[in-house]
Amino acid sequence: MAAARVLLLLSGRPESVSFAQSVCGLLGAGPELGPWPTHCGLQRGQLLLSARPFPGASARLPLQRPPFCPFAALNQQPSPPGAELPTNRGVDLGVAIILQSSDQTVLLTRRTRTLRVSPNLWVPPGGHVELDEELLDGGLRELWEESGLQLPQGQFSWVPLGLWESAYPPRLSWGLPRYHHIVLYLLVVSQESQQQLQARIQPNPSEVSAFMWLGPEVAAAVAATEDGTETPRHLSQGLPPSVLAVELEHDGGARPLALPVSTLLRTTPTTTEGEERVSTGTKFALRLWLQHLSRQGVTPRPCASGAHVDPGPAKEEQNVDPLPPNQGSGKPSA
């Protein structure tokens, strides 16, 4: 088996996780939706997780999985006939950057249709963490590779938001999972405005087909359409019909795109497809971002009609003890 990237502290010592095992389940997650407070050790190229405090733990973060997580389902039912999951692989480690401008918007990118994994999904910039790579460094590298943005040293702060157990395909009805990740969402707060950051964006067309800046009011509506819920919670009738995005063209140019908000409110379908939507993990991350803003005393601005979207309770007991915001040194503090 390749070097383990996600380790669990189960019987007093770090243990690697097999590809087919549910990380949330091993840490004691029950049938409820979560999230579950999880103690984390952020090490070079590795993530150590435990349901209890341990020496060297640097944060306690919410860990979540979708209600249709295939690994949870496989743990609760016999494997389908002929089903074979990898036995020589562990769980991979990913990092995603929630980049916040000084005027409180966050960057989302749409993955190209030609990608083998999660095509046409709106997600924050992110990807695999390389071996022996600091988690923040890996996230900033992915931000640069996908968007062309390099943040000047000393002009941003950062804090970990939460952890997401990700599978692809995301449902057993789509087929057996081929990828298994724990994704760490990092909030990176830039001192630059959306306009300043936008002027420097140069998206990688092999990975990104469009990008947009999402404000708290629309982000709250997107976060409220959690997969697994029967109906969205407290959605405002005053939402704008569309949000402004930028779409890349085949000739290398770009054009404005009026993206229907209804596209962002779609949930994961039961059958495989390339339908444009916001990924379930991204909705979780947006919810954590809104909770962070709330703790900072920032209230989402009302929509044009004056109506308000309720992102739901902050669940402070589940998102506690994050690392304090750090200045942009490129490395987390102890």
Side-chain angles (χ1 to χ4, degrees):
M1 181 183 293
R5 314 306 298 279
V6 176
L7 302 173
L8 302 189
L9 197 62
L10 297 176
S11 302
R13 59 185 180 84
E15 301 177 24
S16 60
V17 186
S18 171
F19 178 91
Q21 294 177 292
S22 167
V23 173
C24 290
L26 289 171
L27 289 173
E32 66 275 8
L33 290 179
W36 300 274
T38 303
H39 298 268
C40 314
L42 312 178
Q43 304 172 6
R44 291 186 67 86
Q46 288 186 323
L47 188 64
L48 180 59
L49 305 176
S50 175
R52 297 183 177 86
F54 62 89
S58 51
R60 185 159 73 112
L61 300 174
L63 170 65
Q64 178 80 307
R65 66 185 177 191
F68 45 81
C69 174
F71 298 105
L74 288 169
N75 287 348
Q76 297 169 4
Q77 65 188 41
S79 299
E84 293 187 6
L85 291 173
T87 57
N88 61 344
R89 284 172 57 187
V91 177
D92 289 317
L93 177 59
V95 63
I97 296 293
I98 303 295
L99 176 62
Q100 177 187 318
S101 66
S102 63
D103 39 356
Q104 294 164 357
T105 60
V106 293
L107 176 66
L108 293 185
T109 62
R110 188 179 66 193
R111 292 170 59 82
T112 64
R113 288 182 178 274
T114 56
L115 291 173
R116 291 185 304 154
V117 178
S118 304
N120 221 24
L121 287 190
W122 285 95
V123 296
H128 281 90
V129 178
E130 302 295 341
L131 191 62
D132 294 329
E133 186 176 41
E134 295 284 1
L135 294 171
L136 176 63
D137 292 343
L140 295 178
R141 173 183 53 75
E142 290 286 347
L143 174 67
W144 172 71
E145 290 177 358
E146 294 181 17
S147 72
L149 282 173
Q150 288 185 294
L151 304 182
Q153 293 293 321
Q155 294 189 28
F156 66 92
S157 60
W158 65 279
V159 64
L161 286 179
L163 302 160
W164 178 257
E165 184 164 17
S166 171
Y168 189 82
R171 292 181 181 268
L172 280 180
S173 57
W174 294 30
L176 288 175
R178 302 192 303 272
Y179 297 92
H180 189 180
H181 287 80
I182 292 295
V183 179
L184 172 65
Y185 288 102
L186 296 179
L187 172 63
V188 173
V189 181
S190 173
Q191 295 178 13
E192 296 179 275
S193 68
Q194 173 186 324
Q195 184 177 13
Q196 290 172 309
L197 293 167
Q198 173 102 354
R200 302 207 317 275
I201 285 184
Q202 294 182 321
N204 179 355
S206 66
E207 296 190 54
V208 173
S209 62
F211 66 90
M212 67 177 168
W213 296 90
L214 207 59
E217 62 281 1
V218 177
V222 175
T225 57
E226 295 181 34
D227 293 53
T229 57
E230 293 183 3
T231 55
R233 180 174 46 234
H234 304 306
L235 282 189
S236 166
Q237 297 300 313
L239 284 173
S242 63
V243 293
L244 182 62
V246 176
E247 187 169 49
L248 306 187
E249 297 181 314
H250 295 299
D251 61 2
R255 65 180 182 89
L257 170 67
L259 182 69
V261 169
S262 58
T263 299
L264 305 178
L265 304 183
R266 292 171 178 162
T267 56
T268 306
T270 56
T271 57
T272 183
E273 46 63 63
E275 184 180 59
E276 184 178 4
R277 58 186 173 83
V278 177
S279 77
T280 314
T282 300
K283 295 175 184 178
F284 168 67
L286 289 175
R287 192 172 183 83
L288 296 180
W289 173 57
L290 292 166
Q291 293 169 14
H292 178 83
L293 287 183
S294 178
R295 289 193 296 273
Q296 302 300 310
V298 178
T299 302
R301 299 185 302 276
C303 300
S305 68
H308 179 68
V309 181
D310 181 7
K315 295 187 179 179
E316 290 285 349
E317 72 280 2
Q318 293 176 332
N319 186 15
V320 293
D321 300 340
L323 290 174
N326 294 274
Q327 294 303 312
S329 62
K331 297 186 183 299
S333 61

